[in-house]
Amino acid sequence: MMHLLEVAPLPAPYVRSLLDRAFHFKETGKYPSYPETSVATLFYEPSTRTRCSFQLAANRLAMPILNIDFSNSSEFKGETSLDTVKTLIAMGINILVVRHAVSGQIHQMAMDCCLGENVHLINAGDGINAHPTQALLDLMTILEAKPNLKQLKVAIVGDIRHSRVANSLQCIFAKLKLGKLSLISPSLWRPDEIFYGDWTDSLEEGLAGADVVMALRVQNERLGPGEELDLGQYILKYAITMKSLSFAKPDVLVMHPGPINRGIEINSDVVDGPRSLIWKQINNGVFMRMAILEAIMRGHH
Ligand code: NCD
């Protein structure tokens, strides 16, 4: 793989080898060193877990890493983001981890920047399009808890329409053949396109028989005109609470990509309760991003 921009082009065996490698790092605690590979994170949108977990992952692999603080970068002086990327490449950066608010912008950088074969881009979330590394760490977390993917039902609840996480998850679930996927949202947040799974506006119907429920953040900053919902109504009908979880299987597990709005899309007692995989997702994210950095650096096919 030259770049990691989307889940779709990844062959299923490549996804499995990333999972194996991530589990191996987690189980052994032994990590190789790649001091020749330098990494930069370039985030045009706020992030805590994605950026920090890439930083930790690079540190554990002894890859030097720069964190470009956008608020202090030259783009405030009028430099274009393509020129920022070219500048970092000229300094010898090999892997650029990029987050951008505009869908497709990172793909554009990959096409426009004359990257050369030793430079690789990783999409850390572009607009409402894709978030492949999140989907991979979520898949790792599900398989660790419930390995028989073909037998599972997963439900994703919330603003599916504007969720790059939901898009990439649909893609990875289709590839690895998840049993059943239910996409639950108010009709206003129904996605235009569904790659995999069935959509419903009923939480009760969507959660019926679910083994895993993933709640999504109410993403106010991504809503267009006319897409705003009454938050009180949303909470009443769609919040993940101990009560609404009773629609799912008794051993249902709960996930959330973060950042969490406690008391809105999910209640605190669920976040911190025994069914929650939320902190495991964050923990696994570092191991999965180590596997991704290593694989991308090697340019494996
Ligand atoms: C998500 C993102 O930024 O796409 N968070 C994450 O990376 N863990 C989800 C969100 O913004 O709600």
Side-chain angles (χ1 to χ4, degrees):
M1 282 293 297
M2 189 61 193
H3 308 298
L4 176 56
L5 303 178
E6 299 270 345
V7 169
L10 305 179
Y14 185 91
V15 173
R16 288 199 196 93
S17 70
L18 288 174
L19 289 163
D20 287 349
R21 198 66 179 142
F23 281 122
H24 173 81
F25 288 144
K26 182 167 181 174
E27 279 151 24
T28 62
K30 291 208 174 72
Y31 317 134
S33 290
Y34 302 108
E36 311 286 313
T37 303
S38 50
V39 184
T41 60
L42 184 59
F43 278 53
Y44 294 93
E45 261 189 11
S47 164
T48 307
R49 68 218 84 222
T50 305
R51 193 167 49 79
C52 294
S53 80
F54 267 109
Q55 274 177 323
L56 277 172
N59 284 331
R60 286 187 194 167
L61 296 172
M63 295 179 175
I65 179 157
L66 292 180
N67 173 33
I68 313 302
D69 179 0
F70 178 63
S71 55
N72 282 321
S73 83
S74 293
E75 286 184 47
F76 269 97
K77 299 182 185 166
E79 183 171 84
T80 67
S81 47
L82 291 183
D83 282 336
T84 306
V85 169
K86 285 183 189 160
T87 303
L88 292 166
I89 294 169
M91 288 177 193
I93 291 291
N94 306 110
I95 301 179
L96 268 161
V97 182
V98 189
R99 169 169 289 189
H100 208 285
V102 178
S103 304
Q105 186 64 28
I106 303 164
H107 306 61
Q108 198 63 44
M109 287 174 176
M111 286 195 297
D112 289 356
C113 281
C114 314
L115 297 175
E117 54 183 49
N118 288 324
V119 181
H120 311 278
L121 292 188
I122 297 177
N123 180 355
D126 68 312
I128 59 169
N129 178 48
H131 196 347
T133 68
Q134 182 71 38
L136 285 160
L137 75 90
D138 288 341
L139 180 66
M140 176 183 179
T141 309
I142 292 171
L143 290 175
E144 185 176 40
K146 299 193 175 189
N148 200 347
L149 203 68
K150 291 191 176 74
Q151 306 289 315
L152 294 185
K153 175 176 174 178
V154 175
I156 308 179
V157 188
D159 182 4
I160 312 275
R161 188 178 176 81
H162 304 98
S163 175
R164 54 196 179 202
V165 176
N167 283 346
S168 289
L169 277 173
Q170 287 175 56
C171 223
I172 211 153
F173 287 152
K175 198 174 288 283
L176 280 261
K177 307 207 170 24
L178 169 75
K180 210 162 183 275
L181 177 65
S182 176
L183 303 169
I184 310 164
S185 78
S187 52
L188 204 56
W189 293 347
R190 181 186 184 147
D192 287 335
E193 239 189 309
I194 292 173
F195 317 107
Y196 186 65
D198 299 306
W199 176 85
T200 172
D201 67 353
S202 157
L203 187 65
E204 181 163 1
E205 191 188 308
L207 290 193
D211 300 278
V212 177
V213 178
M214 159 113 42
L216 298 174
R217 183 172 64 88
V218 173
Q219 309 162 112
N220 289 314
E221 81 282 7
R222 297 200 185 127
L223 302 183
E227 289 180 335
E228 271 146 49
L229 280 184
D230 180 300
L231 209 52
Q233 283 300 313
Y234 180 83
I235 294 170
L236 269 179
K237 285 182 79 175
Y238 295 99
I240 298 302
T241 63
M242 292 309 268
K243 192 159 164 255
S244 62
L245 281 180
S246 66
F247 299 140
K249 282 202 181 147
D251 64 347
V252 65
L253 296 171
V254 181
M255 300 172 70
H256 191 307
I260 297 163
N261 288 311
R262 289 174 184 256
I264 299 182
E265 69 270 3
I266 188 165
N267 272 8
S268 260
D269 52 350
V270 178
V271 173
D272 302 315
R275 302 249 155 262
S276 171
L277 291 178
I278 295 171
W279 312 106
K280 279 219 169 104
Q281 286 173 269
I282 299 170
N283 184 258
N284 286 340
V286 183
F287 298 107
M288 180 45 83
R289 286 174 174 128
M290 290 169 72
I292 291 167
L293 286 173
E294 183 188 60
I296 285 285
M297 175 224 42
R298 290 184 171 159
H300 278 334
H301 290 280

